[in-house]
Amino acid sequence: MSPAAYGLIHDDAIAELSGWHPPDPAQARLRRDYLAHLARHGDAMARGGPPAHLTGSVIVLDRAGAHVLLTLHQKARRWFQFGGHFEADDRSMREGAEREAREESGIDELVALPEIVMLDRHDLGAAFGSCREHLDVRYAAIAPTGAAHSASHESVDVRWWPADRLPEDTREELLPLVRAAQALIRR
């Protein structure tokens, strides 16, 4: 798909990242890097764009923030928050991340909170094809009480985890995201 097809979400990414107030110097550096990447690549939002491109994800918590809903990712074989690539008809980064979370969790009523929780830049393995690096924009959502979840074709499993006992192999990566999301929902 052409870069022009992603024009609306590309413009939204620039506006949203420009207006976001990072919580620390490391996040401020990532924000500058993301904005520079967007300025260099009109197709930075597209899966078929440069090897490094923006993605969106959502960490899903229960209302109390005591439990986290995670997906066992089919390709990575690790537990993660829900998320993935933007599509040309996504109108905003939050909408694209929210769509991914709904598709992957099976919870149609999920609504991401409007604020960016954090940014995360990570390398990908060979199983991800031409994608070599994700510049992930992360949001949070509160699952509706009693909402049923299910695994998608991209997942092996979807399961609730106590926020203080995350899966060992992803604990180091997920804990800062969970804590930032908990702080956001408690505001």
Side-chain angles (χ1 to χ4, degrees), residues 44-80:
M45 307 301 291
R47 177 190 306 248
H53 49 268
L54 273 73
T55 55
S57 65
V58 177
I59 189 76
V60 177
L61 302 165
D62 64 2
R63 191 158 302 285
H67 292 87
V68 182
L69 188 63
L70 300 175
T71 180
L72 182 55
H73 195 276
Q74 183 130 4
K75 286 183 185 175
R77 297 301 227 202
R78 293 179 62 201
W79 292 95
F80 293 114

Short mmCIF file of all heavy atoms in Angstrom, two decimals, residues 44-80:
data_model
loop_
_atom_site.label_atom_id
_atom_site.label_comp_id
_atom_site.label_asym_id
_atom_site.label_seq_id
_atom_site.Cartn_x
_atom_site.Cartn_y
_atom_site.Cartn_z
N ALA A 44 6.20 5.14 7.35
CA ALA A 44 6.63 4.63 8.66
C ALA A 44 5.53 3.91 9.42
O ALA A 44 5.82 3.15 10.34
CB ALA A 44 7.17 5.79 9.52
N MET A 45 4.28 4.11 9.05
CA MET A 45 3.15 3.48 9.74
C MET A 45 2.76 2.15 9.10
O MET A 45 1.99 1.39 9.67
CB MET A 45 1.93 4.40 9.72
CG MET A 45 2.17 5.80 10.25
SD MET A 45 2.74 5.87 11.95
CE MET A 45 1.30 5.32 12.83
N ALA A 46 3.29 1.86 7.93
CA ALA A 46 2.86 0.71 7.15
C ALA A 46 3.72 -0.52 7.41
O ALA A 46 4.94 -0.43 7.50
CB ALA A 46 2.90 1.04 5.66
N ARG A 47 3.09 -1.67 7.51
CA ARG A 47 3.79 -2.94 7.67
C ARG A 47 4.80 -3.13 6.54
O ARG A 47 5.89 -3.63 6.74
CB ARG A 47 2.79 -4.09 7.66
CG ARG A 47 3.43 -5.47 7.75
CD ARG A 47 2.44 -6.57 7.49
NE ARG A 47 1.28 -6.50 8.33
CZ ARG A 47 0.97 -7.37 9.28
NH1 ARG A 47 1.76 -8.38 9.51
NH2 ARG A 47 -0.12 -7.23 9.98
N GLY A 48 4.45 -2.73 5.34
CA GLY A 48 5.32 -2.86 4.19
C GLY A 48 6.28 -1.70 4.02
O GLY A 48 6.95 -1.60 3.01
N GLY A 49 6.36 -0.83 5.01
CA GLY A 49 7.25 0.32 4.95
C GLY A 49 8.68 -0.06 5.25
O GLY A 49 9.12 -1.18 4.96
N PRO A 50 9.42 0.86 5.86
CA PRO A 50 10.82 0.57 6.16
C PRO A 50 10.93 -0.59 7.15
O PRO A 50 9.96 -0.92 7.84
CB PRO A 50 11.33 1.88 6.77
CG PRO A 50 10.11 2.57 7.28
CD PRO A 50 8.99 2.15 6.39
N PRO A 51 12.12 -1.19 7.25
CA PRO A 51 12.29 -2.32 8.19
C PRO A 51 11.94 -1.97 9.64
O PRO A 51 11.54 -2.82 10.40
CB PRO A 51 13.77 -2.68 8.05
CG PRO A 51 14.16 -2.19 6.71
CD PRO A 51 13.32 -0.96 6.46
N ALA A 52 12.09 -0.69 10.01
CA ALA A 52 11.64 -0.20 11.32
C ALA A 52 10.38 0.61 11.09
O ALA A 52 10.38 1.54 10.28
CB ALA A 52 12.72 0.66 11.96
N HIS A 53 9.28 0.24 11.76
CA HIS A 53 8.06 1.01 11.58
C HIS A 53 7.26 1.06 12.88
O HIS A 53 7.49 0.27 13.80
CB HIS A 53 7.21 0.47 10.43
CG HIS A 53 6.99 -1.00 10.48
ND1 HIS A 53 7.82 -1.89 9.85
CD2 HIS A 53 6.05 -1.75 11.10
CE1 HIS A 53 7.40 -3.12 10.06
NE2 HIS A 53 6.32 -3.06 10.83
N LEU A 54 6.35 2.02 12.94
CA LEU A 54 5.54 2.20 14.14
C LEU A 54 4.48 1.11 14.24
O LEU A 54 3.92 0.69 13.23
CB LEU A 54 4.88 3.58 14.16
CG LEU A 54 5.74 4.69 14.77
CD1 LEU A 54 6.87 5.08 13.84
CD2 LEU A 54 4.90 5.87 15.15
N THR A 55 4.24 0.68 15.45
CA THR A 55 3.18 -0.26 15.78
C THR A 55 2.43 0.30 16.99
O THR A 55 2.89 1.24 17.64
CB THR A 55 3.74 -1.66 16.12
OG1 THR A 55 4.70 -1.53 17.19
CG2 THR A 55 4.39 -2.31 14.92
N GLY A 56 1.29 -0.28 17.30
CA GLY A 56 0.51 0.16 18.46
C GLY A 56 0.11 -1.03 19.30
O GLY A 56 -0.17 -2.11 18.77
N SER A 57 0.12 -0.84 20.62
CA SER A 57 -0.28 -1.94 21.50
C SER A 57 -1.06 -1.40 22.70
O SER A 57 -1.05 -0.21 22.98
CB SER A 57 0.93 -2.75 21.96
OG SER A 57 1.79 -1.98 22.76
N VAL A 58 -1.74 -2.33 23.36
CA VAL A 58 -2.57 -2.00 24.52
C VAL A 58 -2.34 -3.04 25.61
O VAL A 58 -2.47 -4.24 25.36
CB VAL A 58 -4.08 -1.98 24.15
CG1 VAL A 58 -4.94 -1.70 25.36
CG2 VAL A 58 -4.36 -0.96 23.04
N ILE A 59 -2.02 -2.56 26.80
CA ILE A 59 -1.97 -3.43 27.97
C ILE A 59 -3.35 -3.37 28.61
O ILE A 59 -3.89 -2.29 28.83
CB ILE A 59 -0.83 -3.02 28.96
CG1 ILE A 59 -0.66 -4.07 30.05
CG2 ILE A 59 -1.04 -1.65 29.53
CD1 ILE A 59 0.05 -5.31 29.62
N VAL A 60 -3.96 -4.53 28.83
CA VAL A 60 -5.32 -4.62 29.35
C VAL A 60 -5.28 -5.01 30.83
O VAL A 60 -4.68 -6.03 31.18
CB VAL A 60 -6.16 -5.64 28.54
CG1 VAL A 60 -7.56 -5.77 29.13
CG2 VAL A 60 -6.22 -5.22 27.07
N LEU A 61 -5.92 -4.20 31.65
CA LEU A 61 -5.98 -4.43 33.09
C LEU A 61 -7.42 -4.62 33.53
O LEU A 61 -8.35 -4.17 32.83
CB LEU A 61 -5.40 -3.22 33.84
CG LEU A 61 -3.96 -2.83 33.50
CD1 LEU A 61 -3.66 -1.45 34.03
CD2 LEU A 61 -3.01 -3.84 34.07
N ASP A 62 -7.60 -5.26 34.69
CA ASP A 62 -8.93 -5.26 35.28
C ASP A 62 -9.14 -3.90 35.95
O ASP A 62 -8.22 -3.08 36.04
CB ASP A 62 -9.11 -6.42 36.26
CG ASP A 62 -8.21 -6.36 37.48
OD1 ASP A 62 -7.44 -5.40 37.65
OD2 ASP A 62 -8.27 -7.31 38.28
N ARG A 63 -10.36 -3.63 36.39
CA ARG A 63 -10.70 -2.33 36.94
C ARG A 63 -9.80 -1.92 38.11
O ARG A 63 -9.44 -0.75 38.26
CB ARG A 63 -12.17 -2.31 37.36
CG ARG A 63 -12.68 -0.93 37.68
CD ARG A 63 -14.18 -0.81 37.58
NE ARG A 63 -14.75 -1.14 36.29
CZ ARG A 63 -14.69 -0.37 35.20
NH1 ARG A 63 -14.06 0.76 35.21
NH2 ARG A 63 -15.27 -0.76 34.08
N ALA A 64 -9.40 -2.86 38.93
CA ALA A 64 -8.56 -2.57 40.09
C ALA A 64 -7.08 -2.45 39.73
O ALA A 64 -6.28 -2.00 40.54
CB ALA A 64 -8.75 -3.66 41.15
N GLY A 65 -6.72 -2.87 38.54
CA GLY A 65 -5.32 -2.85 38.13
C GLY A 65 -4.51 -3.98 38.75
O GLY A 65 -3.29 -3.97 38.71
N ALA A 66 -5.20 -4.97 39.30
CA ALA A 66 -4.52 -6.08 39.99
C ALA A 66 -4.19 -7.24 39.06
O ALA A 66 -3.34 -8.06 39.38
CB ALA A 66 -5.39 -6.58 41.14
N HIS A 67 -4.86 -7.30 37.91
CA HIS A 67 -4.64 -8.39 36.95
C HIS A 67 -4.45 -7.81 35.55
O HIS A 67 -5.02 -6.78 35.21
CB HIS A 67 -5.82 -9.37 36.95
CG HIS A 67 -5.92 -10.12 38.22
ND1 HIS A 67 -6.60 -9.64 39.31
CD2 HIS A 67 -5.39 -11.30 38.58
CE1 HIS A 67 -6.50 -10.51 40.30
NE2 HIS A 67 -5.76 -11.53 39.88
N VAL A 68 -3.65 -8.54 34.76
CA VAL A 68 -3.29 -8.12 33.41
C VAL A 68 -3.66 -9.24 32.44
O VAL A 68 -3.33 -10.41 32.68
CB VAL A 68 -1.77 -7.84 33.33
CG1 VAL A 68 -1.38 -7.36 31.96
CG2 VAL A 68 -1.34 -6.86 34.40
N LEU A 69 -4.34 -8.90 31.37
CA LEU A 69 -4.69 -9.86 30.34
C LEU A 69 -3.59 -9.85 29.28
O LEU A 69 -3.30 -8.81 28.69
CB LEU A 69 -6.04 -9.52 29.70
CG LEU A 69 -6.63 -10.54 28.74
CD1 LEU A 69 -6.93 -11.86 29.45
CD2 LEU A 69 -7.89 -9.99 28.08
N LEU A 70 -2.96 -11.01 29.06
CA LEU A 70 -1.84 -11.12 28.12
C LEU A 70 -2.13 -12.20 27.08
O LEU A 70 -2.94 -13.09 27.30
CB LEU A 70 -0.55 -11.48 28.86
CG LEU A 70 -0.08 -10.49 29.92
CD1 LEU A 70 1.13 -11.04 30.66
CD2 LEU A 70 0.22 -9.13 29.31
N THR A 71 -1.41 -12.09 25.98
CA THR A 71 -1.51 -13.08 24.91
C THR A 71 -0.18 -13.80 24.75
O THR A 71 0.88 -13.18 24.81
CB THR A 71 -1.92 -12.40 23.57
OG1 THR A 71 -2.01 -13.40 22.55
CG2 THR A 71 -0.94 -11.33 23.14
N LEU A 72 -0.26 -15.10 24.56
CA LEU A 72 0.92 -15.90 24.26
C LEU A 72 1.09 -15.84 22.74
O LEU A 72 0.35 -16.48 21.99
CB LEU A 72 0.75 -17.34 24.74
CG LEU A 72 1.94 -18.28 24.53
CD1 LEU A 72 3.22 -17.73 25.15
CD2 LEU A 72 1.62 -19.66 25.09
N HIS A 73 2.02 -15.02 22.30
CA HIS A 73 2.22 -14.71 20.89
C HIS A 73 2.69 -15.93 20.11
O HIS A 73 3.62 -16.62 20.53
CB HIS A 73 3.23 -13.57 20.76
CG HIS A 73 3.25 -12.93 19.44
ND1 HIS A 73 3.98 -13.45 18.38
CD2 HIS A 73 2.64 -11.81 18.97
CE1 HIS A 73 3.82 -12.68 17.33
NE2 HIS A 73 3.02 -11.67 17.66
N GLN A 74 2.03 -16.20 19.01
CA GLN A 74 2.32 -17.40 18.21
C GLN A 74 3.75 -17.42 17.67
O GLN A 74 4.44 -18.43 17.77
CB GLN A 74 1.33 -17.48 17.04
CG GLN A 74 1.52 -18.72 16.20
CD GLN A 74 0.22 -19.45 15.99
OE1 GLN A 74 -0.82 -19.01 16.40
NE2 GLN A 74 0.30 -20.58 15.35
N LYS A 75 4.21 -16.31 17.09
CA LYS A 75 5.56 -16.29 16.51
C LYS A 75 6.64 -16.20 17.58
O LYS A 75 7.64 -16.90 17.52
CB LYS A 75 5.71 -15.10 15.55
CG LYS A 75 5.00 -15.28 14.24
CD LYS A 75 5.27 -14.09 13.33
CE LYS A 75 4.47 -14.18 12.06
NZ LYS A 75 4.65 -12.97 11.24
N ALA A 76 6.45 -15.31 18.55
CA ALA A 76 7.50 -15.08 19.55
C ALA A 76 7.50 -16.14 20.66
O ALA A 76 8.50 -16.31 21.34
CB ALA A 76 7.32 -13.69 20.17
N ARG A 77 6.35 -16.80 20.86
CA ARG A 77 6.22 -17.81 21.92
C ARG A 77 6.50 -17.23 23.31
O ARG A 77 7.11 -17.87 24.15
CB ARG A 77 7.12 -19.02 21.66
CG ARG A 77 6.79 -19.77 20.40
CD ARG A 77 5.41 -20.23 20.47
NE ARG A 77 5.27 -21.63 20.08
CZ ARG A 77 4.13 -22.12 19.65
NH1 ARG A 77 3.08 -21.36 19.58
NH2 ARG A 77 4.02 -23.38 19.35
N ARG A 78 6.06 -16.00 23.49
CA ARG A 78 6.19 -15.31 24.78
C ARG A 78 4.90 -14.55 25.05
O ARG A 78 4.14 -14.24 24.15
CB ARG A 78 7.37 -14.33 24.75
CG ARG A 78 8.70 -15.06 24.64
CD ARG A 78 9.88 -14.13 24.58
NE ARG A 78 9.98 -13.33 25.79
CZ ARG A 78 10.65 -12.19 25.85
NH1 ARG A 78 11.26 -11.72 24.80
NH2 ARG A 78 10.70 -11.52 26.98
N TRP A 79 4.66 -14.23 26.32
CA TRP A 79 3.48 -13.49 26.74
C TRP A 79 3.73 -11.99 26.54
O TRP A 79 4.75 -11.46 26.97
CB TRP A 79 3.17 -13.77 28.21
CG TRP A 79 2.72 -15.18 28.44
CD1 TRP A 79 3.49 -16.24 28.82
CD2 TRP A 79 1.40 -15.68 28.30
NE1 TRP A 79 2.72 -17.37 28.92
CE2 TRP A 79 1.43 -17.05 28.61
CE3 TRP A 79 0.18 -15.10 27.94
CZ2 TRP A 79 0.29 -17.85 28.58
CZ3 TRP A 79 -0.95 -15.90 27.90
CH2 TRP A 79 -0.89 -17.26 28.22
N PHE A 80 2.76 -11.32 25.92
CA PHE A 80 2.85 -9.89 25.66
C PHE A 80 1.49 -9.22 25.82
O PHE A 80 0.45 -9.90 25.87
CB PHE A 80 3.31 -9.62 24.22
CG PHE A 80 4.71 -10.04 23.92
CD1 PHE A 80 4.97 -11.07 23.03
CD2 PHE A 80 5.79 -9.42 24.52
CE1 PHE A 80 6.26 -11.46 22.73
CE2 PHE A 80 7.09 -9.80 24.23
CZ PHE A 80 7.32 -10.82 23.34
#
